[in-house]
């Protein structure tokens, strides 16, 4: 029996960041089709990741979570997937070597096909100033600035499922001969409810998300009384929540208790993204409040999303503020007796020039490929992980 019948708590809840689907009947048909497909992940795989995250929660392991800002359908091919998996595994190996601890590897992969946006519309950067629906990831529409491309199409959710399955098949091939703790697990933001609801399943231990091993709730969808929190409450997977500058200590405590009421180590991860300018002021009271009054959480640092800016017409992130936020994160966790468990990074193995150094007087974006936010290239990712390890 599919678990969609047990997710009644989503009914009537505010569902933020949902696209305007022009054909509700077509969307309903897609949901029914998704509900009849096999789950992408298995309950046993989810349990394996939960065990690893339990070690992290106890301070006995680290986490590297990383991958594309927004995956593209055309990249769901074995060669490109292997490159991404190899890159993640090399970063995890660096963490193990540098810390002497196990490192759990979680990719933003096999499902990161949808993106929340600050506005439902965007205006073309040209003389025409045309206004169109925002690109919300390949699961919703296409990045080309044309009316047909930007129209949300429900059947793209089925393509997202197919591409996720192809990517996950290749990831599973990489597991051969590897211990459970050294596998790459999948994750994405639990954003599009018409996709997530029908892929929830009833397992031997209860309802779990069959769309990914690990799912997170974003900064824009983490209202305690919202539909996304209700979805996360209904499944047994390890769950993350992004916390940005607007997250109060009281809200963080309430979310920890709502999402981890049984206090299971590894069940809940807070992915903090305060930005280098605010982290020293805002993070310590949040950590202190959760440590004193909340449920157990794993603490990860996302040094990217709070440090974005535009340079020469390109969305970018400067390396130095990201390094500073990692240092502040580690210091705040240590000062309150908590474990700085790892990093959440947007990255790629490709030699892109999307993130730059503030020391560059005239940054040159000679190889900018992201359709959404800028990513670290392989060399920059190694530098960021090495920087984090030097602070432990």
């Amino acid at each position: 029996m599919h678990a969609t019948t047990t997710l009644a708590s989503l009914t009537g809840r505010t569902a933020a960041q949902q696209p305007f689907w022009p054909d509700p009947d077509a969307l309903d048909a897609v949901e029914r089709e998704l509900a009849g497909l096999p789950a992408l992940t298995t309950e046993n795989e989810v349990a394996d990741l939960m065990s690893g995250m339990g070690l992290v929660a106890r301070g006995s392991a680290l986490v590297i979570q990383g991958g594309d800002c927004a995956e593209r359908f055309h990249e769901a091919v074995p060669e490109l997937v292997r490159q991404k998996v190899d890159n993640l595994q090399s970063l995890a190996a660096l963490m193990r070597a540098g810390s002497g601890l196990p490192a759990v590897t979680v990719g933003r992969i096999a499902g990161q096909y949808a993106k929340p946006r600050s506005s439902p519309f965007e205006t073309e950067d040209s003389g025409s100033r045309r206004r169109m629906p925002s690109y919300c990831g390949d699961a919703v529409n296409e990045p080309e600035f044309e009316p047909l491309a930007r129209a949300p199409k429900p059947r793209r959710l089925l393509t997202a499922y197919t591409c996720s399955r192809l990517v996950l098949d290749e990831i599973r091939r990489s597991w051969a001969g590897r211990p459970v703790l050294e596998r790459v697990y999948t994750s994405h933001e639990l954003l599009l409810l018409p996709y997530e609801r029908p892929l929830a399943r009833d397992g031997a231990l209860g309802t779990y998300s069959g769309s990914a091993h690990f799912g997170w709730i974003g900064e824009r969808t983490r209202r305690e009384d919202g539909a996304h929190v209700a979805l996360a409450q209904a499944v047994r997977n390890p769950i993350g929540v992004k916390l940005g500058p607007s997250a109060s200590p009281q809200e963080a405590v309430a979310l920890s208790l709502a999402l981890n009421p049984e206090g299971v180590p590894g069940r809940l991860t807070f992915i903090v993204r305060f930005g280098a300018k605010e982290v020293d002021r805002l993070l310590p009271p949040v950590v202190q409040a959760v440590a004193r009054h909340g449920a157990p959480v794993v603490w990860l640092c996302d040094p990217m999303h709070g440090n974005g800016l535009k340079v020469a017409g390109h969305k970018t992130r400067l390396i130095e503020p990201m390094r500073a936020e990692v240092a502040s994160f580690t210091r705040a966790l240590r000062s309150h007796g908590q474990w700085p468990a790892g990093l959440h990074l947007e990255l790629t193995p490709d030699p892109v020039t999307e993130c730059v150094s503030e020391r560059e007087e005239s940054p040159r974006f000679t190889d900018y490929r992201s359709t959404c936010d800028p990513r670290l290239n392989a060399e920059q990712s190694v530098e960021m992980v090495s920087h984090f390890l030097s602070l432990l």
Side-chain angles (χ1 to χ4, degrees), residues 147-171:
L148 287 177
R150 289 298 178 92
K153 299 178 180 66
R155 295 200 67 82
R156 296 185 73 86
L157 297 175
L158 294 169
T159 307
Y161 172 91
T162 300
C163 290
S164 296
R165 185 188 63 204
L166 292 170
V167 173
L168 187 48
D169 286 346
E170 190 62 35
I171 290 172

Side-chain angles (χ1 to χ4, degrees), residues 41-341:
T41 57
T42 71
E43 188 177 28
N44 286 340
E45 291 168 355
V46 168
D48 288 340
L49 177 57
M50 181 68 85
S51 296
M53 295 301 291
L55 290 176
V56 175
R58 297 179 179 92
S60 300
L62 294 169
V63 178
I64 178 68
Q65 183 177 13
D68 289 303
C69 165
E71 288 182 277
R72 301 300 313 278
F73 287 164
H74 68 266
E75 294 184 346
V77 294
E79 181 182 358
L80 296 180
V81 175
R82 284 195 298 270
Q83 291 173 9
K84 294 176 183 182
V85 169
D86 289 347
N87 187 39
L88 287 167
Q89 288 176 332
S90 68
L91 293 173
L94 176 61
M95 273 195 166
R96 295 182 194 108
S99 67
L101 296 172
V104 176
T105 314
V106 183
R108 291 173 59 108
I109 195 168
Q112 184 58 13
Y113 293 114
K115 289 291 295 180
R117 303 310 301 265
S118 56
S119 170
F121 295 96
E122 57 185 305
T123 303
E124 189 175 30
D125 290 333
S126 71
S128 70
R129 306 300 291 170
R130 292 186 301 166
R131 185 171 180 263
M132 297 215 184
S134 295
Y135 171 61
C136 295
D138 278 11
V140 178
N141 54 9
E142 299 173 64
E144 290 74 23
F145 208 85
E146 297 296 336
L148 287 177
R150 289 298 178 92
K153 299 178 180 66
R155 295 200 67 82
R156 296 185 73 86
L157 297 175
L158 294 169
T159 307
Y161 172 91
T162 300
C163 290
S164 296
R165 185 188 63 204
L166 292 170
V167 173
L168 187 48
D169 286 346
E170 190 62 35
I171 290 172
R172 287 194 178 104
R173 281 190 275 274
S174 77
W175 291 355
R178 286 185 174 271
V180 167
L181 274 180
E182 295 187 11
R183 296 173 177 174
V184 172
Y185 293 92
T186 67
S187 74
H188 63 256
E189 181 171 352
L190 302 175
L191 182 63
L192 300 177
L193 298 179
Y195 183 78
E196 301 300 337
R197 275 190 306 244
L199 288 175
R201 297 290 187 266
D202 283 341
L205 300 177
T207 304
Y208 73 99
S209 170
S211 72
H213 300 117
F214 178 103
W216 75 85
I217 302 168
E219 167 76 356
R220 298 180 177 96
T221 54
R222 57 174 164 74
R223 279 182 49 172
E224 189 187 350
D225 61 351
H228 293 87
V229 169
L231 171 69
Q233 287 173 314
V235 299
R236 298 181 63 88
N237 305 57
I239 293 293
V241 179
K242 288 285 191 88
L243 298 182
S246 65
S248 69
Q250 296 78 15
E251 183 182 11
V253 169
L255 282 168
S256 76
L257 295 172
L259 290 167
N260 193 14
E262 298 174 359
V264 177
R267 153 66 178 174
L268 179 61
T269 296
F270 278 164
I271 306 165
V272 297
R273 38 158 293 181
F274 286 88
K277 294 180 179 179
E278 297 286 356
V279 62
D280 285 324
R281 179 175 68 88
L282 296 177
L283 180 57
V286 169
V287 174
Q288 183 179 54
V290 173
R292 288 183 177 179
H293 307 295
V297 301
V298 170
W299 295 94
L300 293 190
C301 178
D302 170 0
M304 307 198 71
H305 284 89
N307 294 303
L309 73 164
K310 269 203 168 184
V311 174
H314 289 84
K315 292 173 69 174
T316 190
R317 289 151 173 166
L318 299 179
I319 298 297
E320 289 79 9
M322 287 191 277
R323 287 172 58 93
E325 182 162 3
V326 171
S328 294
F329 163 82
T330 306
R331 184 167 56 249
L333 270 293
R334 288 292 198 192
S335 66
H336 291 93
Q338 302 299 298
W339 178 234

